[in-house]
Amino acid sequence: MANRKIRVLLAKLGLDSHTVGITVIAGALRDAGMEVIYTGLRQTPDMVVQAAVQEDADVIGISSLSGAQMQHIPKLLDRLRSAEADDKLVVVGGVIPDEDAAELKAAGVDEVFTMGARTEDIATFIRTWWEAERR
Amino acid sequence: MTDDSRKRPAPDGTEPADAEATWRRDVLGPALADRGERQDEFVTQQMHWPLKDLYTSRDLDEIGFDPGKDLGFPGEFPYTRGTNPAGYRQDLWTMLQVTGFGTATDSAERWSKMLDQGLNGFIIEYDLPTTNGYDSDHPLAEGEVARAGTAIDTLADMEQALDLPWDKLQHLSSVCNAPQPVNLAMILAALEKRDIDPASFTLQMSNAILIEYTCVGRYIYPPKHGLRIATDCIEYTIRNHANWIPISVVSAQLYAARATPVQELAFGFSIAMEYLDATLARGFEIDEVAPYWSFITGLEMDFFEAIAKLRAYRKIWARLMKERYGAKREESLRLRLMSSPGTTGLTLQQPLNNIARLGIQTLACALGGGAYAITTPLHDEAHALPSEEAVRVGIAVQNIVAHETGVADTIDPLAGSYLLETMTRRMEDEVFAEIEKVDAMGGALAAIEAGYFQKELARSQRARFSEIEDGTRKQIGVNHLVQADEKRSIETFKLGETAERQQLARLARVRADRDDAVVAKTLDRVREAASGDENLVPPILDAVKAYATQGEICDVMREVFGVYHPDSLTSGV
Amino acid sequence: MERDPIVLAERALGGHQGAGARLIRMLEEGDEGATEGLRAVLPSAGRAHLLGVTGPPGAGKSTLVDRMAAEYRRRGSRVGIIAVDPSSPFTGGAVLGDRVRMHDHAADPGVFIRSMATRGQLGGLARATFEATTVLDAMGYDVVLIETVGVGQDEVDVADLAHTTVVVSIPGMGDDVQAIKAGILEIADLFVVNKADLPGADRVAKHIGAALHMRAAPIDAWQPPILMTEAERAGGIVDVIDGIDAHRAHLRSSGGLDRKVIRRRERVFHDVLRERAAARALACAPRQGAEILSAMRSGELDPYTAVEALLGVEA
Ligand SMILES: Nc1nc2c(ncn2[C@@H]2O[C@H](COP(=O)(O)OP(=O)(O)OP(=O)(O)O)[C@@H](O)[C@H]2O)c(=O)[nH]1
Ligand SMILES: [Mg+2]
């Protein structure tokens, strides 16, 4: 009798404090039946990795609106690898220029959702990945 | 005149009671006979208030509209027609532009250029480490230094940043909420060093910490301590620099967090009254302090809602001051409002479309009347950081509205509009009802501590996003007239990579050159003041003059006040 | 990642946080195989002090837990934290935000924080929490704090699982008598009146004291202290930890610890029995089970007869 839930860790890295996007996503993913673990603001890559590991999150969602994504996210991916936690889905959302998005994906981010992405599409993307993963 | 007369004509063809009914029967009815209206219902964009097909004088009768009471004359209570008796016929609004990038030197150059281009004031925005009370060499600051605004670590940076053509500058705004007393002290000390008379211009501080807790998130200390240090700045400024503006209720941030106009006004005014009460408790009379209160708002694309909002702002403030606080001076009743086209209406997609949006919103700002200053955001702001080109266009848009459209040439041209007056009244009523709800919770501070504003805003945010997702609200380029293979290659401001390095070097130099013993002594004084009731600005000013860094000063207060980490409830998530 | 419970158990015992987390996850999901993993870690468990922290929503429990963890860290202990929040009854999803208040430990590997949603299980929560505490205990965390919201049955549940139960009250909750909820007096080993900076805290403490006096208690029994804290400013935390240590010493000397351990075992035994027996009864004869259920739904069988019928079915 499996009582399985998708666990999603949502975090903001660095000093970017715009929470509108992450608020909307948190609510949408909860309404899609997922367990959303919110870390709050001002996280470092190490904090996010530790939280994701302890919470056994399937998905790490990073919201970035201040433009510092290229500073923090490659570092996060790096730390995930050294913690042997790079099997988690990493999605990034926010104000991400196309060239940054391409670079992030090349570095190991699974998907980038720019502003205006539909929350439904994000939930579907996560669920589809998870179902394939957990099969 | 019965209600029936307003409905569609009776099928039996009985004689309608008046002209409107005749029009409905003989003109409108036949016109809609084949095809009905293009939508089942029409509602306003943000409030979702139903819109009738036609507004007439009867709507004004119904709300008991009284031109004397509801409008008054320009520059007279309740200021619906504007706070300036002469409208824009004497002076146009002050044209401002949000700016601030790179190191202090970069910014000073850029600002001087903008002043030369015809602006007479501007807003200094600081980078995230500065607004969050961290030094540039703090681990969390990495990658953020001088990115979203100017980096100010020590007095040395502020001295540099204020290297400006002071003869052209009338107005300076400083947006730095959580570490506001440090920021104020830095400006004061820098002016002293540069030998500039503080009375020669107006400094407007945002000092808007309570709003940070509701949506923006750049707070440091728990809310009640945030309120205390904000009040310290207000008290100090009023007592020492009477021509400055020590507080702006930046309700624009509520709006940017997708507050509806009613939420924006009600939450904004409740917050304003919280500061006011705290300041009155320092031993002032209402008429000594109310004139200092000022607001900054942003507009949405719904044209009439936006204009009604600006009118309601002035009218409600005047009534609150008169009816609740017994204010008598005109300056207390007259709202200072800076308005700007909003960034939330701008789209990432097809960014050039944003120029049209800016034009329309700037027009609404002007028609809403009496805004003493208008700022324009930049058309590529939704995309990334503003570019030089966007700054130029922003300034041009304001000038086009001012000089080419004629809307600034007669005072409050829209007064008496059936629709607008009906809407303004409804906004007024609903805002008062919401303010009373917050009163019942114990005021804005209590509402923030309980997470009320945050939860309400989160609800509005979700509603707004789902409207755009399901297409009930059309946004061009986003869910309508979408360009499938759109390439987004707009010019964006790229920061020189050296900015962060230069800033770190400068900070290290200052740390090395100063007298650490003096710094430690002044920081102890700050600690002592923070632990008691003493006003924090004077001891912080001493610390700043000793070249204590802003991070060091904020850390002392962190020790005393604690650090605020709201949970998911109180942050709205 | 690895999903073999025995391998996970071994790695968890070796200090691998990810393995411990995955084992907890499988147990929480009711994965029957995971019980093997639990069995494998059980012998290493039993050293940690288990602390329940309960109280009304917004009482400052997470803040308090954060400050308590900091104090334990200062004293050299490794700390496990399980923070329980309700799931949405409509969608089954949840937003778990307790970590936010535990920000200062977010980069400290000596603190293991696990957020847990109730997932709408009655009693099942107690089982999942029990299993999670057991894993953390076995992994060598010296104290395990369990935060639950004191609404409904959860606070009594947590008292069954914890060695020491801290009940958090705050001023300003209205009617003083109501503030001391029925059943609370029996489960509290320590009372904490948090937000002592707010007016009315003294009155709350006085009321709790008065209520304790009215309670019939054996002479040598533990007298729950009433402590004032200002969690936000970390005020009064040292006294709380000292109080918990005193309670722990009392449990040891009075034999109370054994009684608590037995109660914990019994509680889990009954929960697991209820859960598994029901599952088995429904699973062993799927066809008859379905028929009986539908007969019960239509009213043909009353629920009592239906249960008897189901239990009467021979596998
Ligand atoms: N005045 C005051 N407020 C406090 C104190 N401790 C915590 N708070 C505030 O109380 C609010 C709730 O704190 P939490 O720690 O999230 O409370 P909780 O009991 O964990 O809340 P839930 O998990 O939602 O039930 C926050 O705004 C805290 O800042 C205190 O000592 N004094
Ligand atoms: Mg909590």
Side-chain angles (χ1 to χ4, degrees), chain B residues 104-126:
Chain B
T105 329
D106 293 345
S107 303
E109 254 170 48
R110 203 172 152 89
W111 294 335
S112 300
K113 194 149 102 197
M114 287 166 53
L115 290 170
D116 290 340
Q117 281 174 351
L119 291 173
N120 38 21
F122 55 81
I123 303 176
I124 316 179
E125 293 249 41
Y126 302 98

Side-chain angles (χ1 to χ4, degrees), chain A residues 61-76:
Chain A
I62 302 292
S63 146
S64 175
L65 288 138
S66 80
Q69 56 277 351
M70 301 316 291
Q71 189 64 41
H72 301 303
I73 296 172
K75 231 177 251 171
L76 171 70

Side-chain angles (χ1 to χ4, degrees), chain B residues 387-443:
Chain B
S387 65
E388 302 264 359
E389 178 70 356
V391 172
R392 194 192 56 72
V393 171
I395 298 168
V397 164
Q398 295 200 39
N399 280 279
I400 291 168
V401 171
H403 302 296
E404 297 184 12
T405 65
V407 297
D409 298 346
T410 177
I411 308 170
D412 188 25
L414 294 187
S417 148
Y418 306 130
L419 166 67
L420 197 56
E421 298 301 351
T422 310
M423 240 188 212
T424 306
R425 172 67 72 79
R426 180 160 183 184
M427 199 149 313
E428 182 185 354
D429 291 345
E430 293 198 8
V431 169
F432 269 104
E434 184 65 28
I435 288 176
E436 276 156 27
K437 206 162 145 193
V438 177
D439 288 344
M441 303 177 71

Side-chain angles (χ1 to χ4, degrees), chain B residues 244-263:
Chain B
W244 286 5
I245 307 174
I247 171 108
S248 313
V249 180
V250 190
S251 18
Q253 288 175 334
L254 290 167
Y255 137 82
R258 313 299 191 275
T260 65
V262 166
Q263 286 174 332

Side-chain angles (χ1 to χ4, degrees), chain A residues 1-5 7 30 33-38 42-43 50-51 53-56 58 87 134, chain C residues 1 3 17 21-22 25 29 91-94 96 99-100 103 108 111-115 117 119 121:
Chain A
M1 34 161 281
N3 185 2
R4 289 180 169 183
K5 293 272 182 237
R7 288 171 67 83
R30 179 200 52 209
M34 302 181 196
E35 286 181 358
V36 176
I37 300 131
Y38 179 56
R42 298 173 200 168
Q43 302 291 299
Q50 171 157 324
V53 166
Q54 294 183 345
E55 299 286 357
D56 194 20
D58 304 295
D87 57 339
R134 270 280 173 117
Chain C
M1 215 234 228
R3 287 191 67 87
Q17 292 197 338
R22 176 55 53 88
R25 169 77 169 278
E29 289 179 344
T91 65
L96 309 172
R99 279 194 96 87
V100 179
H103 184 270
D108 174 4
V111 179
F112 191 124
I113 306 170
R114 173 58 151 83
S115 313
R119 299 194 180 180
Q121 315 171 21

Side-chain angles (χ1 to χ4, degrees), chain C residues 245-259:
Chain C
D245 284 349
H247 181 245
R248 193 178 185 182
H250 169 85
L251 284 178
R252 288 240 173 80
S253 62
S254 66
L257 191 60
D258 296 337
R259 279 197 297 279

